[in-house]
Amino acid sequence: MKVTVVGAGNVGATCADILAYREVVNEVVLVDIKEGMAEGKALDIWQKAPIDMYDTRTVGVTADYSRTANSDVVVITSGLPRKPGMSRDDLIETNAGIVKSVTEQVVAHSPNAIIIVVSNPLDVMTYQAHITSKLPRTKVIGMAGILDTARYRAFLAEALNVSPKDIQAMLLGGHGDTMVPLPRYTTVGGIPVTELIDADKLNAIIERTKVGGGELVKLMGTSAWYAPGSAAAQMVEAIVRDQKRVVPVCIKLEGEYGIDNCYLGVPVVLGKNGVEKVIELQLDEKEMSDLRTSRDHVMEVMNVLDKINNK
Ligand SMILES: NC(=O)C1=CN([C@@H]2O[C@H](COP(=O)(O)OP(=O)(O)OC[C@H]3O[C@@H](n4cnc5c(N)ncnc54)[C@H](O)[C@@H]3O)[C@@H](O)[C@H]2O)C=CC1
Ligand SMILES: O=C([O-])CC(=O)C(=O)O
């Protein structure tokens, strides 16, 4: 199995490192546009192999897509990260062009690959990759929900002083401040979270989760990479090992949740064919209305992308 990671920056290199370290595939190809960057990071990861005892080959190339040919999965992380004071949507103009040209080259060399988009604004960059690739919606998906639920689970684990391993959670919607964490679908060792934490504390955690990316941007001056790289690697692993993981993933909705033609995070079954099933949860009125608010926001940004593409 072969995986390409486009963008050898913070998120891309972290993802490649985890894929190698865990021997998820035989070969990881890192691609970047910056001369020598991907080659250097791939070599560094390969030199770690004798220490950490793995044999996944890591190869780096500068914009040479012939080396990515016949990849099973391609992760697209190329693009600008935001700086303090910016929203993810502020990245659209630059990143739309990058994701479009990268997707064209990826598909030309790996027509059967499953594409995982990471670049921001996530839901709309997934839209960009999907329309550019012309692949089925089940094969062009975005990474956000695994990261957002991980933040939510980590905050809960801290507040409850329990292991993050025992916290299960689901979350819907766009990868932005309108995301919809679902306390009704959150459990701690099988126990509904609402039995273990009072409503005010839970609400504070939900609000912190929604701006979890921004919290890190403020601290570091650029956006996060350890958890995002790991979340993307988990999606790759689910696909190449055909694990049928049930995780939130961004995909084009075609009538699910009463929503059509919008790219949003929803629970899916993730396996060798990409998204093998979209799971429709029974939502109450408030959850449904929050999801519609999130949809409206993503649709607005999708319209901005349409204008950029029609210029
Ligand atoms: N979906 C999510 O949950 C998350 C998304 N992100 C997004 O991921 C993207 C990458 O973030 P970082 O790795 O921190 O940024 P970074 O700046 O460290 O890395 C980006 C890399 O992309 C490369 N690049 C730019 N244009 C390219 C092209 N045409 N072809 C190949 N490579 C190209 C750059 O040279 C750079 O090395 C950003 O858009 C960021 O907002 C980051 C974290 C989480
Ligand atoms: O916040 C950002 O810009 C990067 C990102 O999407 C995240 O870490 O959730």
Side-chain angles (χ1 to χ4, degrees), residues 81-82 86-88 91 118 120 122 147-148 151 175 179 212-214 216-217 222-225 228:
R82 61 176 163 151
M86 291 172 84
S87 85
R88 296 180 181 91
L91 303 167
V118 177
N120 270 317
L122 186 274
L147 172 65
D148 294 327
R151 287 183 175 141
H175 182 50
M179 69 179 73
L216 291 163
V217 172
T222 187
S223 53
W225 59 89

Side-chain angles (χ1 to χ4, degrees), residues 141-147 149-150 153 168-172 231 234-239 243-251 257 264-271 274-279 281:
I141 56 186
M143 185 293 289
I146 294 179
L147 172 65
T149 46
R153 291 159 67 198
Q168 288 275 325
M170 193 39 75
L171 172 153
L172 301 171
Q234 186 172 79
M235 288 177 70
V236 173
E237 186 176 17
I239 294 166
Q243 288 172 326
K244 320 280 187 203
R245 294 293 305 266
V246 177
V247 283
V249 157
C250 174
I251 183 172
Y257 295 91
L264 284 176
V266 288
V268 305
V269 176
L270 194 59
V275 167
E276 300 189 346
K277 185 184 177 166
V278 173
I279 297 172
L281 302 173

